[in-house]
């Protein structure tokens, strides 16, 4: 049996339902007859930019330079292709995949953005409630004496009452609908900001992991260079003992060894800082994070790179979609401020009963009903309402300018990274050639030094050049990987209207 409403004794649900139904029908018919269009500007999504390219010159089919070194392959640009959602998997590292997915599932920044989206969605539901009549039921009892009732000498008595009231504010000029529209735009904004949170978090984990691998490789290279200096120092000291080298040569060798050794603490400090930063990205305390070592050689350079069409970029970047949602909200705010200048009509109705006992409620002669209509027309508010309308219009102008700034910045991001990828390839090739040349030169100088045909300063200079070239190659390799990740990020990271709020729930992470 269906649950019946809890009413005072003697109240028949049918007696309340019939008048209430009449009031609701009358309210709905009146709203249909009087409901007008929503005032204020209608929102339309901005048109895609007319520009057809990211760069002033034509985009090449591929990077022209290729180096005979890891991550030295040429990269091809696939015009018209969009970034894949799980773009980080293109780097071929299981450890990198694990880190990114763990961050997406456990980062508190994601949890915060998800909560903000849920809050905005509930605010939309709350705003939509204003489109419907408000229906309230009341039941009460009052105990009083005759003096309180205005009749001295009457014994104390109890009055029971019960009733239902209906009220509805007609949305003649669309102020309520504009309010719902504004709240919906805020929910869209939060959804795109959540997508942006996923995108930036994945990019941060990827680039920080690449930096970590680069620092680990730089430390290894510096340790090997330091070992060369140490060997040279031992050799020079032994030669000094037999009079073949001076004490000055020994001091210079010792100085170079100490200088190389001094670089290691800074590199190790930077490595430790990247590891603690990664722990935070992954939603862990630094003391609890156990990161497997990620080697630079284990990260593969993607060779096929998507380049979205300029006309589609505005639909693929979460920050542009968020700016569009803010523009939508600002447009709705103008409508709200405009509607506030016009009359407000409220319909109300009530049906109830009042009796000396609960059993007599809704009996003969105890019923009471009312219907009402109230019109409120603002006449003088000290200029407040028109000032609010002008303020909303200024907010719309600001949102439009902010949207254009966001679009321009997005195109700048893509242009910068496309140019960087071309130059990174050329830079890595030059650095690799320099490393090979300096290594050959160092080997030759050391042979000449052992034969007495070169002095120790020449050995030091050749070692220094080799050290610089090797570190430069490591950094150039990391730059190619980092800027490749930056391209995926600049293209929106594959979040093309995806429901990002459900993405983390779909992840299966083994911690």
């Amino acid at each position: 049996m269906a649950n019946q409403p809890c009413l005072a004794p003697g109240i028949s649900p049918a007696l309340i339902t019939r008048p209430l139904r009449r009031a609701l029908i009358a309210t709905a018919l009146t709203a249909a007859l009087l409901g007008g269009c929503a005032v204020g500007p209608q929102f339309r999504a901005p048109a895609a930019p007319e520009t057809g390219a990211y760069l002033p010159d034509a985009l090449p089919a591929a990077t022209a330079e290729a180096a005979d070194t890891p991550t030295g392959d040429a990269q091809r640009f696939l015009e018209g292709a969009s970034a894949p959602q799980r773009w980080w998997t293109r780097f071929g590292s299981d450890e990198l995949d694990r880190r990114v997915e763990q961050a997406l599932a456990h980062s508190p920044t994601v949890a915060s953005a998800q909560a903000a989206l849920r809050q905005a969605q509930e605010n939309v539901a709350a705003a939509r409630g204003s489109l419907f009549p408000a229906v309230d039921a009341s039941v009460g009892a009052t105990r009083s004496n005759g003096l309180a009732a205005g009749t001295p000498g009457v014994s104390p008595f109890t009055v029971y009452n019960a009733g239902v009231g209906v009220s509805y504010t007609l949305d003649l000029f669309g102020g309520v609908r504009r309010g719902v529209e504004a709240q919906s735009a805020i929910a869209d904004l939060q959804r795109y900001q959540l997508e942006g949170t996923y995108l930036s978090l994945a990019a941060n984990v990827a680039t920080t992991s690449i930096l970590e691998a680069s620092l680990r490789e730089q430390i290894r290279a510096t340790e090997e260079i330091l070992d060369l200096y140490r060997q040279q120092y031992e050799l020079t000291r032994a030669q000094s003992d037999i009079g073949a080298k001076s004490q000055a040569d020994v001091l210079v060798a010792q100085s170079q060894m100490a200088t190389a050794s001094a670089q290691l603490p800074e590199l190790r400090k930077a490595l430790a800082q990247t590891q603690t930063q990664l722990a935070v990205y992954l939603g862990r305390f630094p003391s609890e994070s156990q990161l497997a070592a990620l080697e630079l050689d284990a990260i593969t350079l993607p060779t096929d790179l998507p380049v979205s069409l300029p006309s589609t970029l505005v639909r693929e970047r979460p920050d542009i979609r968020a700016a569009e949602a803010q523009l939508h909200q600002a447009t709705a705010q103008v409508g709200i401020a405009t509607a506030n200048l016009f009359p407000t009509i409220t319909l109300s109705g009530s049906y109830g009963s009042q009796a000396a006992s609960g059993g007599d409620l809704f009996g003969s002669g105890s019923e009471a009903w009312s219907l009402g209509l109230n019109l409120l027309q603002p006449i003088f508010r000290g200029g407040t309402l028109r000032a609010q309308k002008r303020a909303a219009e200024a907010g719309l102008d600001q949102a439009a300018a902010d949207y254009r700034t966001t679009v321009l910045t997005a195109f700048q991001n893509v242009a910068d990274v496309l140019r960087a990828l071309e130059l990174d390839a050329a830079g890595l090739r030059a650095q690799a050639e320099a490393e090979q040349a300096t290594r050959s030169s160092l080997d030759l100088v050391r042979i000449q030094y052992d034969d007495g045909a070169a002095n120790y300063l020449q050995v030091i200079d050749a070692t220094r050049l080799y050290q610089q070239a090797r570190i430069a190659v490591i950094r150039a390799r990391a730059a190619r990987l980092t800027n490749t990740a930056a391209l995926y990020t600049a293209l929106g990271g594959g979040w093309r209207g995806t429901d990002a709020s459900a993405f983390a729930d779909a992840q299966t992470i083994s911690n």
Side-chain angles (χ1 to χ4, degrees):
M1 180 176 178
N3 293 332
Q4 296 292 333
C6 182
L7 301 174
I11 297 179
S12 169
L15 291 176
I16 295 180
T17 302
R18 285 195 298 270
L20 179 58
R21 185 184 298 114
R22 296 191 193 103
L24 291 174
I25 292 174
T27 299
L29 290 174
T30 305
L33 292 173
L34 298 180
C37 62
V39 297
Q42 296 292 330
F43 174 75
R44 291 180 177 82
E50 296 181 358
T51 180
Y54 296 107
L55 298 170
D57 50 343
L59 181 68
T63 57
E65 303 287 344
D68 184 18
T69 186
T71 66
D73 298 331
Q75 292 178 300
R76 292 178 294 275
F77 297 116
L78 307 179
E79 291 194 74
S82 298
Q85 187 182 68
R86 294 169 57 84
W87 53 265
W88 53 88
T89 60
R90 302 299 175 93
F91 290 91
S93 170
D94 292 338
E95 173 61 18
L96 179 60
D97 295 347
R98 187 190 71 81
R99 293 180 181 188
V100 172
E101 293 179 0
Q102 182 175 334
L104 295 179
H106 299 292
S107 172
T109 59
V110 170
S112 175
Q114 288 175 330
L117 174 58
R118 293 196 303 272
Q119 181 184 37
Q121 291 171 335
E122 294 301 330
N123 285 336
V124 173
R128 285 176 179 158
S130 300
L131 295 170
F132 300 93
V135 182
D136 298 295
S138 63
V139 177
T142 304
R143 181 75 174 173
S144 61
N145 58 20
L147 183 61
T151 308
V154 177
S155 301
F157 60 93
T158 301
V159 176
Y160 297 90
N161 61 80
V164 176
V166 181
S167 66
Y168 181 67
T169 300
L170 300 178
D171 192 24
L172 295 177
F173 302 99
V176 176
R177 280 170 284 163
R178 292 299 192 198
V180 175
E181 184 181 355
Q183 289 297 331
S184 297
I186 293 175
D188 289 339
L189 169 63
Q190 294 298 337
R191 180 166 57 254
Y192 297 132
Q193 287 184 339
L194 175 59
E195 293 178 5
T197 299
Y198 276 106
L199 175 59
S200 61
L201 183 60
N204 287 337
V205 172
T207 55
T208 306
S209 294
I210 293 170
L211 175 60
E212 178 204 12
S214 172
L215 288 169
R216 185 175 284 108
E217 190 71 18
Q218 291 180 53
I219 290 172
R220 187 178 295 112
T222 302
E223 288 174 339
E224 292 177 6
I225 295 297
L226 177 59
D227 188 58
L228 290 177
Y229 278 125
R230 185 176 291 110
Q231 292 176 19
Q232 202 64 50
Y233 167 71
E234 296 295 339
L235 176 60
T236 304
R237 190 175 63 176
Q239 291 176 330
S240 175
D241 291 341
I242 62 175
K245 297 294 180 182
S246 67
Q247 183 63 26
D249 290 334
V250 175
L251 293 176
V252 171
Q254 185 179 18
S255 174
Q256 292 298 319
M257 183 178 63
T259 300
S261 179
Q263 296 175 7
L264 287 173
E266 289 299 318
L267 290 172
R268 287 169 178 156
K269 180 177 72 175
L271 176 61
Q273 290 173 343
T274 61
Q275 291 171 334
T276 56
Q277 181 64 77
L278 283 167
V280 173
Y281 286 148
L282 271 58
R284 305 293 185 189
F285 289 101
S287 60
E288 299 174 348
S289 179
Q290 298 293 331
L291 294 175
L294 180 60
E295 300 295 338
L296 196 61
D297 289 342
I299 305 176
T300 303
L301 180 72
T303 54
D304 291 331
L305 300 180
V307 181
S308 303
L309 295 175
S311 59
T312 63
L313 183 67
V314 295
R315 313 312 302 171
E316 296 181 348
R317 288 213 11 163
D319 58 340
I320 296 180
R321 299 298 300 277
E324 180 182 314
Q326 288 179 312
L327 182 61
H328 190 176
Q329 179 197 4
T331 304
Q333 290 294 342
V334 174
I336 295 172
T338 303
N340 290 338
L341 297 172
F342 293 92
T344 300
I345 297 178
T346 301
L347 302 178
S348 61
S350 66
Y351 176 80
S353 176
Q354 184 173 344
S357 67
D360 293 335
L361 285 174
F362 295 98
S364 177
S366 67
E367 300 178 10
W369 61 269
S370 68
L371 292 174
L373 182 148
N374 181 67
L375 183 146
L376 176 65
Q377 169 62 59
I379 297 177
F380 178 74
R381 299 286 180 87
T384 298
L385 297 180
R386 294 197 176 276
Q388 289 174 342
K389 181 175 180 292
R390 291 192 297 271
E393 292 170 340
L396 178 57
D397 292 340
Q398 180 185 7
D402 290 344
Y403 175 83
R404 179 164 175 78
T405 298
T406 304
V407 172
L408 290 174
T409 302
F411 274 69
Q412 177 191 358
N413 294 156
V414 177
D416 287 346
V417 75
L418 287 175
R419 189 68 76 197
L421 287 170
E422 291 184 68
L423 299 176
D424 285 345
L428 178 56
R429 179 174 181 176
Q431 294 294 350
E433 291 175 350
E435 181 191 22
Q436 293 172 0
T438 55
R439 178 67 200 192
S440 297
S441 176
L442 175 60
D443 292 341
L444 179 60
V445 171
R446 292 187 68 184
I447 293 173
Q448 293 174 338
Y449 178 78
D450 293 341
D451 294 339
N455 59 44
Y456 187 66
L457 291 177
Q458 291 174 294
V459 175
I460 292 175
D461 189 56
T463 305
R464 176 181 56 80
L465 292 175
Y466 172 63
Q467 179 190 31
Q468 292 174 346
R470 185 170 180 186
I471 297 298
V473 166
I474 295 170
R475 291 174 177 170
R477 291 174 58 192
R480 290 201 78 188
L481 294 168
T482 299
N483 283 324
T484 300
L487 177 63
Y488 289 121
T489 305
L491 295 176
W495 298 105
R496 292 176 294 279
T498 303
D499 185 9
S501 63
F503 183 80
D505 297 335
Q507 303 304 303
T508 302
I509 307 297
S510 60
N511 299 320

